[in-house]
Amino acid sequence: MLDGPLIAEWLPVSVAALVLLLVAAGVAGWVDAVVGGGGLIQLPALVIAVPSDVATPFILGTNKLSSFFGTLSASWVYLRKIRVQLVLLAPLIAGAYAGSTVGAALSRYVPRDVLTPIVLVAVIAVALYTLFKPTMGLHHEPRHDRATAVAWRAAMIGLLVGFYDGILGPGTGSFFVILIVGVLGYGFLQASVNAKIANLTTNLAALVVYGVHGEVLLALGLAMAVMNITGGFIGARMATKRGSGFVRIVFLVTLSILIVKLAWDTVVQFTG
């Protein structure tokens, strides 16, 4: 826990920690709206700032509460600007909800100290895949014409990433984006709007699980949600104005910075 007096029992962080978390939530909302993966900023911030005696589910549940509202604001902006296809979106949402529900139920048994190295490996894989395919996602060129081909692939993407989001969470938006781009041939911008709605679904599913068990720091989560909403709104407007090229650049820069941070956290974790 960071130094400073506790604000109150219902907000179990110091003033310095609260400031850190609010800034992290705003930045995470912006990143999540543009490329996804805001949880890679927000979740580590929560792990650092919240007292170590707070159980893992409370950290994850609070992260979901903040992320849900930020993703909601970004989704609203995207849907006003970009058209979506139900043949992709419906099975993507269904798979995402199912996967996230199962993942969230299992996450109650995942120790906090295993989160960082697992996420690090996943982020490196995504970054390398994107880096070595420089034209991928710059143009919207769907690869499958048949509705059934699109639907079952979308459902599997939703199920896989939804499960990951429920059990761990950080980087979910990025994984949705990269799979929709890589598997279905969508442009980064078009993938982002579908990823936002799918991510909104997984956040809701996981939040229901945590909420049923009372595993959410409500006051802290709502305070972070305000900043997440602000960041999400600004990020989504920038992405829709600047297009897929801008989204891809931010995607790679974000992943690069996060790889360095997560690698450092992992080294400290196993050597400290």
Side-chain angles (χ1 to χ4, degrees), residues 8-9 24 77 81 90 93 110-111 118 126 128 133 146 151 161 181-182 209 226 236 247 255 261 269:
E9 291 185 2
V77 174
K81 303 286 185 179
I93 289 175
V110 178
I118 292 175
V126 170
L128 290 176
K133 290 183 174 289
R146 294 176 56 192
V161 182
V181 170
V209 174
V226 173
V247 174
L255 291 185
K261 182 190 182 304
Q269 177 177 304

Side-chain angles (χ1 to χ4, degrees), residues 97-124:
Y97 191 93
S100 184
T101 299
V102 175
L106 293 178
S107 73
R108 304 177 72 247
Y109 308 101
V110 178
R112 284 171 64 172
D113 59 0
V114 306
L115 296 179
T116 300
I118 292 175
V119 172
L120 174 61
V121 172
V123 174
I124 290 175

Side-chain angles (χ1 to χ4, degrees), residues 42-43 46-47 54-67 103-104 106-112 115 164-170 203 206-207 210 215-217:
Q42 186 167 270
L43 185 57
L46 278 163
V47 172
V54 175
T56 298
F58 285 88
I59 302 294
L60 299 175
T62 303
N63 179 59
K64 290 300 178 191
L65 178 61
S66 175
S67 297
L106 293 178
S107 73
R108 304 177 72 247
Y109 308 101
V110 178
R112 284 171 64 172
L115 296 179
Y164 169 79
D165 188 43
I167 199 167
L168 292 177
N203 283 339
L207 189 56
Y210 294 123
E215 295 167 332
V216 179
L217 301 173

Side-chain angles (χ1 to χ4, degrees), residues 46-100:
L46 278 163
V47 172
I48 292 169
V50 173
S52 58
D53 58 349
V54 175
T56 298
F58 285 88
I59 302 294
L60 299 175
T62 303
N63 179 59
K64 290 300 178 191
L65 178 61
S66 175
S67 297
F68 173 79
F69 286 104
T71 305
L72 181 63
S73 70
S75 298
W76 180 74
V77 174
Y78 273 113
L79 287 173
R80 293 182 61 196
K81 303 286 185 179
I82 301 173
R83 193 174 173 183
V84 296
Q85 295 178 314
L86 288 180
V87 68
L88 164 68
L89 191 58
L92 182 69
I93 289 175
Y97 191 93
S100 184

